[in-house]
Amino acid sequence: MIAKTQQLKAAFDEKLSAVQASAEIDAIRIEFMGKKGAVAALMTELKNVPNEQKKEVGQLINELKQHIEASMQAKLAELKKAEEEALINATESYDESLPMLTQEGSYHPITLVQRELEDIFTSMGFHIEDYSEITDDFNCFEALNIPKHHPARDMQDTYYLSSGQLLKTHTSAAQNTIMKKYGAPVRAIFPGRCFRNEKIDACHENTFFQMEGLMIDEGISISNLIYFMKTMLSEVFKRDIKVRLRPGFFPFVEPGFELDIQCLICNGDGCPSCKNSGWLELCPCGMIHPNVLKYGGIDTEKYTGFAFGLGLTRLAMMKYGIKDIRVFNEGNLKALSQFNDK
Ligand code: PHE
């Protein structure tokens, strides 16, 4: 048995040293370490070894196993490295004159709606701001007048990173940074991906898009807010849109509203799409709370402003008649590529 174990080791070493490509390692693993492999056969034979030798032989076989595993791993790492290097150094050549074989790409419906809104708002003097998906408690909550333990946080549970940072729950998280960067007066929109701890179904996603907008200047009032929202929505839906404001509570606006649009399907008569109310909830908004302006370094004696948080995902669903929110993140190209009208 001892001799047999040694022979097997020699046989393994020889085979392994002959291996040229990482893909061949698997065959060796099966031959030696597989269920019906050479080592397993040795283990079965161990039964027949006289009791006083069992311990020694058993130990030898164990050492052999360890040797095989470690050598295979080392060889695999070595080969993979060489293969990667070869791939990097290989001089591939392309014939750029060949026609494209694949289908032309298409824009995601959210991108389409986002771009359309960006065009509309830039034509009204707003500029587009970018903001990160990772932020912190201050920007996402504190600076928006949502102190720790405020019940408004319950609706915005999110994903916390081990660094203490978090994934932003709404685009409002950028308000403070933008106020500090530009001061007043300012008109900006900032689209972005948001995250919340949600149970996913046809209407809820843990990852969705919003477009925030704010306008701060002297003498800004609710009528300015209504005007901009109505103009924007009429452009998006290519028809005159009726809007109404209902009171809505958000700690960072005072007064705060839910902006509804008259149902586009029944023109306000009531139908299943608007749950027979004639109206669809579309965009929370309001006059920026003085505390939020102060956090942003804005003189509240001189300036007022409005902010809105348009649900881009919601808008895309309405515009394109998408009934299930999960379509947006599923990556099904057949479903996502049908909205390119440009
Ligand atoms: N950030 C709020 C939300 O996501 C929406 C909002 C934005 C409300 C701006 C008022 C003003 O729920």
Side-chain angles (χ1 to χ4, degrees):
M1 269 302 270
I2 295 177
K4 243 188 181 171
T5 313
Q6 281 160 352
Q7 274 163 18
L8 194 60
K9 180 170 184 286
F12 166 80
D13 286 343
E14 198 182 315
K15 282 227 161 146
L16 192 69
S17 64
V19 165
Q20 308 254 12
S22 62
E24 293 169 37
I25 299 266
D26 254 356
I28 297 204
R29 184 187 305 280
I30 293 167
E31 182 179 344
F32 288 89
M33 299 295 279
K35 264 193 192 150
K36 292 184 183 148
V39 174
L42 266 189
M43 291 297 279
T44 343
E45 272 182 55
L46 191 60
K47 283 201 290 278
N48 313 325
V49 170
N51 269 348
E52 61 277 12
Q53 276 184 28
K54 263 205 178 111
K55 194 172 165 203
E56 189 191 352
V57 179
Q59 213 163 14
L60 269 181
I61 299 180
N62 264 342
E63 278 167 20
L64 175 62
K65 273 195 204 167
Q66 280 161 12
H67 169 73
I68 292 181
E69 277 300 347
S71 325
M72 278 195 308
Q73 258 179 34
K75 185 83 178 183
L76 193 65
E78 179 192 315
L79 288 170
K80 282 230 160 112
K81 193 165 166 236
E83 284 162 11
E84 267 167 28
E85 270 165 18
L87 206 64
I88 293 167
N89 295 333
T91 42
E92 287 182 53
S93 63
Y94 298 100
D95 181 351
E96 281 153 22
S97 65
L98 282 175
M100 271 208 310
L101 293 176
T102 47
Q103 220 189 328
E104 225 177 282
S106 61
Y107 288 113
H108 193 282
I110 303 264
T111 308
L112 292 174
V113 176
Q114 179 180 326
R115 291 200 175 167
E116 199 174 343
L117 286 171
E118 286 175 354
D119 283 348
I120 297 169
F121 276 107
T122 40
S123 77
M124 298 193 290
F126 285 71
H127 60 95
I128 308 164
E129 282 294 310
D130 201 12
Y131 190 70
S132 59
E133 289 168 1
I134 298 176
T135 183
D136 54 22
D137 194 88
F138 175 78
N139 282 290
C140 202
F141 301 119
E142 298 272 340
L144 292 165
N145 210 22
I146 315 178
K148 290 208 167 49
H149 312 300
H150 191 288
R153 289 196 181 207
D154 291 354
M155 270 146 24
Q156 302 204 6
D157 185 20
T158 182
Y159 301 88
Y160 288 85
L161 312 184
S162 47
S163 59
Q165 289 173 300
L166 49 92
L167 300 186
K168 73 167 186 264
T169 57
H170 50 178
T171 39
S172 308
Q175 282 194 15
N176 186 265
T177 309
I178 288 169
M179 286 180 205
K180 282 182 183 152
K181 189 166 163 195
Y182 294 101
V186 61
R187 292 182 196 193
I189 49 165
F190 24 113
R193 197 195 310 257
C194 305
F195 307 84
R196 285 188 201 178
N197 182 4
E198 292 277 1
K199 211 161 171 227
I200 297 177
D201 61 26
C203 319
H204 299 90
E205 246 294 0
N206 56 23
T207 307
F208 55 94
F209 287 80
Q210 290 185 339
M211 180 180 281
E212 188 96 355
L214 58 78
M215 176 171 184
I216 303 171
D217 208 332
E218 285 179 53
I220 295 291
S221 71
I222 298 170
S223 15
N224 298 100
L225 168 64
I226 297 175
Y227 170 78
F228 278 102
M229 300 318 285
K230 204 170 137 58
T231 310
M232 178 273 289
L233 291 167
S234 301
E235 292 262 346
V236 170
F237 291 103
K238 314 254 183 292
R239 56 200 262 197
D240 189 37
I241 296 284
K242 286 213 170 64
V243 300
R244 74 171 184 192
L245 294 182
R246 280 180 296 120
F249 176 71
F250 304 93
F252 36 96
V253 283
E254 180 58 39
F257 306 104
E258 291 286 355
L259 183 136
D260 298 339
I261 61 171
Q262 197 171 60
C263 180
L264 303 170
I265 296 167
C266 63
N267 287 325
D269 294 338
C271 70
S273 292
C274 58
K275 296 192 194 115
N276 281 320
S277 70
W279 296 91
L280 289 166
E281 190 177 312
L282 188 71
C283 177
C285 52
M287 300 303 293
I288 305 173
H289 195 290
N291 288 353
V292 176
L293 290 173
K294 277 183 204 147
Y295 274 126
I298 308 267
D299 178 358
T300 52
E301 293 295 319
K302 193 165 173 201
Y303 294 105
T304 48
F306 67 76
F308 60 86
L310 193 66
L312 270 190
T313 303
R314 163 80 66 99
L315 194 63
M317 288 173 86
M318 280 164 72
K319 187 167 156 92
Y320 296 118
I322 300 172
K323 294 209 172 67
D324 193 322
I325 196 169
R326 289 169 287 200
V327 167
F328 293 105
N329 291 346
E330 265 170 5
N332 176 348
L333 291 185
K334 209 168 159 195
L336 292 172
S337 61
Q338 40 180 329
F339 307 104
N340 282 252
D341 44 13
K342 300 215 167 134

PDB file of all heavy atoms in Angstrom, residues 156 170 172 196 210 212 250 252-253 284-285 307-309, ligand 1:
ATOM      1  N   GLN A 156     -38.832  55.616   4.266  1.00  0.00           N
ATOM      2  CA  GLN A 156     -37.649  55.656   3.410  1.00  0.00           C
ATOM      3  C   GLN A 156     -36.528  54.828   4.010  1.00  0.00           C
ATOM      4  O   GLN A 156     -35.403  55.296   4.160  1.00  0.00           O
ATOM      5  CB  GLN A 156     -37.206  57.103   3.213  1.00  0.00           C
ATOM      6  CG  GLN A 156     -38.306  57.956   2.610  1.00  0.00           C
ATOM      7  CD  GLN A 156     -37.776  59.174   1.876  1.00  0.00           C
ATOM      8  OE1 GLN A 156     -36.578  59.350   1.719  1.00  0.00           O
ATOM      9  NE2 GLN A 156     -38.672  60.007   1.412  1.00  0.00           N
ATOM     10  N   HIS A 170     -34.148  59.328  -2.175  1.00  0.00           N
ATOM     11  CA  HIS A 170     -34.848  60.278  -3.043  1.00  0.00           C
ATOM     12  C   HIS A 170     -33.840  61.280  -3.589  1.00  0.00           C
ATOM     13  O   HIS A 170     -32.776  61.485  -3.003  1.00  0.00           O
ATOM     14  CB  HIS A 170     -35.987  60.999  -2.308  1.00  0.00           C
ATOM     15  CG  HIS A 170     -35.602  61.612  -0.986  1.00  0.00           C
ATOM     16  ND1 HIS A 170     -36.463  62.319  -0.221  1.00  0.00           N
ATOM     17  CD2 HIS A 170     -34.430  61.628  -0.309  1.00  0.00           C
ATOM     18  CE1 HIS A 170     -35.861  62.743   0.878  1.00  0.00           C
ATOM     19  NE2 HIS A 170     -34.623  62.329   0.843  1.00  0.00           N
ATOM     20  N   SER A 172     -34.102  64.299  -3.538  1.00  0.00           N
ATOM     21  CA  SER A 172     -33.999  65.476  -2.651  1.00  0.00           C
ATOM     22  C   SER A 172     -32.668  65.494  -1.915  1.00  0.00           C
ATOM     23  O   SER A 172     -32.230  66.550  -1.430  1.00  0.00           O
ATOM     24  CB  SER A 172     -35.134  65.476  -1.617  1.00  0.00           C
ATOM     25  OG  SER A 172     -36.377  65.323  -2.237  1.00  0.00           O
ATOM     26  N   ARG A 196     -34.915  52.077  -2.148  1.00  0.00           N
ATOM     27  CA  ARG A 196     -35.641  51.929  -0.877  1.00  0.00           C
ATOM     28  C   ARG A 196     -35.832  50.464  -0.582  1.00  0.00           C
ATOM     29  O   ARG A 196     -35.917  49.655  -1.506  1.00  0.00           O
ATOM     30  CB  ARG A 196     -37.015  52.612  -0.948  1.00  0.00           C
ATOM     31  CG  ARG A 196     -36.895  54.103  -0.880  1.00  0.00           C
ATOM     32  CD  ARG A 196     -38.227  54.789  -0.750  1.00  0.00           C
ATOM     33  NE  ARG A 196     -38.059  56.174  -1.195  1.00  0.00           N
ATOM     34  CZ  ARG A 196     -39.022  57.067  -1.256  1.00  0.00           C
ATOM     35  NH1 ARG A 196     -40.238  56.751  -0.900  1.00  0.00           N
ATOM     36  NH2 ARG A 196     -38.771  58.286  -1.675  1.00  0.00           N
ATOM     37  N   GLN A 210     -36.079  59.112 -10.058  1.00  0.00           N
ATOM     38  CA  GLN A 210     -36.842  60.334  -9.836  1.00  0.00           C
ATOM     39  C   GLN A 210     -36.146  61.477 -10.565  1.00  0.00           C
ATOM     40  O   GLN A 210     -34.980  61.367 -10.936  1.00  0.00           O
ATOM     41  CB  GLN A 210     -36.854  60.705  -8.346  1.00  0.00           C
ATOM     42  CG  GLN A 210     -37.674  59.794  -7.468  1.00  0.00           C
ATOM     43  CD  GLN A 210     -37.745  60.307  -6.022  1.00  0.00           C
ATOM     44  OE1 GLN A 210     -36.898  61.093  -5.599  1.00  0.00           O
ATOM     45  NE2 GLN A 210     -38.741  59.862  -5.292  1.00  0.00           N
ATOM     46  N   GLU A 212     -35.672  65.446  -9.571  1.00  0.00           N
ATOM     47  CA  GLU A 212     -35.950  66.515  -8.629  1.00  0.00           C
ATOM     48  C   GLU A 212     -35.753  67.840  -9.351  1.00  0.00           C
ATOM     49  O   GLU A 212     -34.929  67.945 -10.265  1.00  0.00           O
ATOM     50  CB  GLU A 212     -34.935  66.422  -7.479  1.00  0.00           C
ATOM     51  CG  GLU A 212     -35.212  67.343  -6.339  1.00  0.00           C
ATOM     52  CD  GLU A 212     -35.995  66.616  -5.244  1.00  0.00           C
ATOM     53  OE1 GLU A 212     -36.377  65.448  -5.459  1.00  0.00           O
ATOM     54  OE2 GLU A 212     -36.225  67.232  -4.195  1.00  0.00           O
ATOM     55  N   PHE A 250     -44.371  66.563   3.634  1.00  0.00           N
ATOM     56  CA  PHE A 250     -42.955  66.218   3.518  1.00  0.00           C
ATOM     57  C   PHE A 250     -42.224  67.231   4.389  1.00  0.00           C
ATOM     58  O   PHE A 250     -42.457  68.435   4.222  1.00  0.00           O
ATOM     59  CB  PHE A 250     -42.468  66.347   2.070  1.00  0.00           C
ATOM     60  CG  PHE A 250     -43.272  65.529   1.114  1.00  0.00           C
ATOM     61  CD1 PHE A 250     -44.363  66.081   0.457  1.00  0.00           C
ATOM     62  CD2 PHE A 250     -42.955  64.197   0.881  1.00  0.00           C
ATOM     63  CE1 PHE A 250     -45.120  65.324  -0.404  1.00  0.00           C
ATOM     64  CE2 PHE A 250     -43.713  63.440   0.017  1.00  0.00           C
ATOM     65  CZ  PHE A 250     -44.799  63.995  -0.627  1.00  0.00           C
ATOM     66  N   PHE A 252     -39.543  68.622   4.347  1.00  0.00           N
ATOM     67  CA  PHE A 252     -38.650  69.616   3.729  1.00  0.00           C
ATOM     68  C   PHE A 252     -39.389  70.655   2.887  1.00  0.00           C
ATOM     69  O   PHE A 252     -38.763  71.486   2.236  1.00  0.00           O
ATOM     70  CB  PHE A 252     -37.567  68.926   2.893  1.00  0.00           C
ATOM     71  CG  PHE A 252     -38.046  67.695   2.181  1.00  0.00           C
ATOM     72  CD1 PHE A 252     -38.458  67.751   0.866  1.00  0.00           C
ATOM     73  CD2 PHE A 252     -38.091  66.478   2.844  1.00  0.00           C
ATOM     74  CE1 PHE A 252     -38.904  66.610   0.227  1.00  0.00           C
ATOM     75  CE2 PHE A 252     -38.541  65.335   2.206  1.00  0.00           C
ATOM     76  CZ  PHE A 252     -38.950  65.397   0.907  1.00  0.00           C
ATOM     77  N   VAL A 253     -40.716  70.584   2.851  1.00  0.00           N
ATOM     78  CA  VAL A 253     -41.477  71.638   2.172  1.00  0.00           C
ATOM     79  C   VAL A 253     -42.595  72.138   3.091  1.00  0.00           C
ATOM     80  O   VAL A 253     -43.134  71.397   3.898  1.00  0.00           O
ATOM     81  CB  VAL A 253     -42.080  71.145   0.826  1.00  0.00           C
ATOM     82  CG1 VAL A 253     -41.039  71.077  -0.253  1.00  0.00           C
ATOM     83  CG2 VAL A 253     -42.781  69.807   0.990  1.00  0.00           C
ATOM     84  N   PRO A 284     -45.055  64.823  -5.992  1.00  0.00           N
ATOM     85  CA  PRO A 284     -45.033  65.566  -4.746  1.00  0.00           C
ATOM     86  C   PRO A 284     -44.190  66.825  -4.914  1.00  0.00           C
ATOM     87  O   PRO A 284     -43.191  66.813  -5.646  1.00  0.00           O
ATOM     88  CB  PRO A 284     -44.379  64.600  -3.750  1.00  0.00           C
ATOM     89  CG  PRO A 284     -43.737  63.540  -4.562  1.00  0.00           C
ATOM     90  CD  PRO A 284     -44.282  63.587  -5.954  1.00  0.00           C
ATOM     91  N   CYS A 285     -44.601  67.900  -4.263  1.00  0.00           N
ATOM     92  CA  CYS A 285     -43.878  69.160  -4.437  1.00  0.00           C
ATOM     93  C   CYS A 285     -44.221  70.112  -3.287  1.00  0.00           C
ATOM     94  O   CYS A 285     -45.001  69.752  -2.415  1.00  0.00           O
ATOM     95  CB  CYS A 285     -44.262  69.797  -5.772  1.00  0.00           C
ATOM     96  SG  CYS A 285     -46.042  69.937  -5.989  1.00  0.00           S
ATOM     97  N   ALA A 307     -39.772  73.134  -4.754  1.00  0.00           N
ATOM     98  CA  ALA A 307     -39.068  71.904  -5.137  1.00  0.00           C
ATOM     99  C   ALA A 307     -40.116  70.871  -5.512  1.00  0.00           C
ATOM    100  O   ALA A 307     -41.247  70.903  -5.010  1.00  0.00           O
ATOM    101  CB  ALA A 307     -38.226  71.380  -3.976  1.00  0.00           C
ATOM    102  N   PHE A 308     -39.754  70.003  -6.423  1.00  0.00           N
ATOM    103  CA  PHE A 308     -40.662  68.904  -6.760  1.00  0.00           C
ATOM    104  C   PHE A 308     -39.856  67.631  -6.947  1.00  0.00           C
ATOM    105  O   PHE A 308     -38.662  67.691  -7.246  1.00  0.00           O
ATOM    106  CB  PHE A 308     -41.477  69.218  -8.025  1.00  0.00           C
ATOM    107  CG  PHE A 308     -40.636  69.451  -9.248  1.00  0.00           C
ATOM    108  CD1 PHE A 308     -40.217  68.401 -10.044  1.00  0.00           C
ATOM    109  CD2 PHE A 308     -40.241  70.747  -9.587  1.00  0.00           C
ATOM    110  CE1 PHE A 308     -39.432  68.623 -11.152  1.00  0.00           C
ATOM    111  CE2 PHE A 308     -39.444  70.975 -10.709  1.00  0.00           C
ATOM    112  CZ  PHE A 308     -39.043  69.909 -11.492  1.00  0.00           C
ATOM    113  N   GLY A 309     -40.495  66.502  -6.743  1.00  0.00           N
ATOM    114  CA  GLY A 309     -39.811  65.207  -6.905  1.00  0.00           C
ATOM    115  C   GLY A 309     -40.625  64.321  -7.825  1.00  0.00           C
ATOM    116  O   GLY A 309     -41.466  63.555  -7.394  1.00  0.00           O
TER     117      GLY A 309
HETATM  118  N1  PHE B   1     -38.429  63.480  -1.994  1.00  0.00           N
HETATM  119  C1  PHE B   1     -39.845  63.211  -1.858  1.00  0.00           C
HETATM  120  C2  PHE B   1     -40.051  61.689  -1.976  1.00  0.00           C
HETATM  121  O1  PHE B   1     -39.342  61.036  -2.676  1.00  0.00           O
HETATM  122  C3  PHE B   1     -40.646  63.927  -2.897  1.00  0.00           C
HETATM  123  C4  PHE B   1     -40.605  65.415  -2.822  1.00  0.00           C
HETATM  124  C5  PHE B   1     -39.627  66.152  -3.475  1.00  0.00           C
HETATM  125  C6  PHE B   1     -41.581  66.101  -2.119  1.00  0.00           C
HETATM  126  C7  PHE B   1     -39.621  67.526  -3.411  1.00  0.00           C
HETATM  127  C8  PHE B   1     -41.600  67.469  -2.058  1.00  0.00           C
HETATM  128  C9  PHE B   1     -40.607  68.182  -2.699  1.00  0.00           C
HETATM  129  O2  PHE B   1     -40.955  61.155  -1.383  1.00  0.00           O
END
